[in-house]
Amino acid sequence: MNQTVTAVICSVDLAKRDTEIKILLGCTSEERQAILDIHNTGSQSAILLVRK
């Protein structure tokens, strides 16, 4: 199992007045995009920071 940090997601949920930072380990670019899409729905907004 790959334990390398591949990206970080910073998300804000305006309805809940909540923020979160999530560290993504060993994700492919497709997995990162799917996670970002999930966090950019409804009242949520997120930014993806990718480690190169």
Side-chain angles (χ1 to χ4, degrees), residues 1-42:
M1 184 171 168
N2 186 349
Q3 294 296 315
T4 303
V5 174
T6 54
V8 174
I9 290 228
C10 302
S11 64
V12 175
D13 188 328
L14 297 175
K16 293 181 182 177
R17 299 182 64 172
D18 183 43
T19 59
E20 294 182 352
I21 296 175
K22 297 178 179 167
I23 299 170
L24 305 181
L25 301 173
C27 293
T28 66
S29 59
E30 292 83 13
E31 291 169 330
R32 291 190 305 253
Q33 186 60 50
I35 294 167
L36 180 62
D37 292 344
I38 290 168
H39 284 84
N40 275 320
T41 58

